[in-house]
Amino acid sequence: MSRTWLPPEQYAEQLMKATGFACIHFTDEQDRPVQLHAPYNPSHPWQMAGGTMEPGERPWQTAVRECREETGITVTGPPRLLAAVYGLPGDAWPYSTMGMIFDGGRLDEARIRGITLDPEEHDEIRVLCLEDWRPLMPVQDFARLTAVTEARRTGTAGYFDTWDWGEL
C-alpha cells in the first residue's frame, strides 16, 4: 500500500470484506449439545441457533434475535462468549466470515421438548453426546462444536479460525 492518505470511503473499499454471524450454544442437563437440522443447507446440516447479523445489530443482539426466531427461546444475559469463529472466503461465499458463539446454558427436557422450530429454517432438533455428532457433520463443523464444548467446560473462550468456505 502507498503511504498516501485516502478518504475513509476510498480506504474502506480496499479492505477485506466480511459478514458477521452470532449463535447460541445450548446443551441438555448432561452437557450434550443441542443442534438444529437445516434441510436447506446440506453442506452444514446441523447448526446452533443463530444466523447472520443484520445492519445495526451487535453480535449478542443477533444471537438473541435469531435464537428467538428459530426456537422460540428468548435468551437473557449477561452474554457469555464461548468462541470467536473465523472463516476465509471460498467458492461457496465470497467474503470472510466472523462470528461469535454465546453460551445459552443447559436446557431441561421439558424446555427442549417445548422448542418451537421455524419450519422455514429447521425441521428437527437433536440432543446427542459430542462424539455422536461427528458422523453427522462436516469435519470443520464438528471441530467447531468440539471447540465450543471445550470452551464451556473450561470457562475459557475459544478461538476457532478454520471454519472456511472452501472444500468441505
Side-chain angles (χ1 to χ4, degrees):
M1 289 185 84
S2 76
R3 294 194 180 263
T4 305
W5 183 87
L6 294 174
E9 304 80 32
Q10 287 180 336
Y11 179 68
E13 285 303 313
Q14 298 175 17
L15 298 176
M16 171 185 82
K17 305 296 184 262
T19 53
F21 71 90
C23 299
I24 299 288
H25 173 68
F26 291 113
T27 64
D28 70 357
E29 293 179 308
Q30 287 77 46
D31 289 325
R32 297 179 300 183
V34 174
Q35 297 282 283
L36 311 176
H37 184 258
Y40 65 87
N41 194 345
S43 59
H44 299 281
W46 291 98
Q47 307 173 350
M48 296 172 217
T52 305
M53 294 175 65
E54 293 182 356
E57 275 187 329
R58 298 179 190 280
W60 176 245
Q61 291 172 312
T62 298
V64 170
R65 175 185 54 78
E66 287 280 343
C67 183
R68 184 179 55 251
E69 291 172 1
E70 294 178 1
T71 68
I73 295 174
T74 300
V75 179
T76 58
R80 180 172 172 236
L81 181 67
L82 289 178
V85 178
Y86 177 80
L88 292 170
D91 292 338
W93 187 248
Y95 300 123
S96 294
T97 306
M98 292 187 235
M100 306 270 186
I101 299 175
F102 296 97
D103 192 350
R106 292 173 178 86
L107 304 177
D108 64 25
E109 198 172 311
R111 192 110 187 253
I112 292 169
R113 278 195 315 270
I115 289 175
T116 304
L117 296 177
D118 176 352
E120 292 185 19
E121 295 207 42
H122 301 103
D123 63 356
E124 184 181 352
I125 183 169
R126 284 192 195 171
V127 179
L128 299 172
C129 295
L130 180 63
E131 269 308 309
D132 291 340
W133 284 112
R134 183 186 301 270
L136 303 175
M137 300 178 152
V139 171
Q140 79 252 34
D141 288 8
F142 182 73
R144 179 181 71 165
L145 183 60
T146 300
V148 169
T149 300
E150 181 68 6
R152 159 82 85 69
R153 187 186 68 74
T154 64
T156 301
Y159 172 68
F160 187 76
D161 69 355
T162 55
W163 200 62
D164 298 342
W165 288 95
E167 292 294 318
L168 300 178

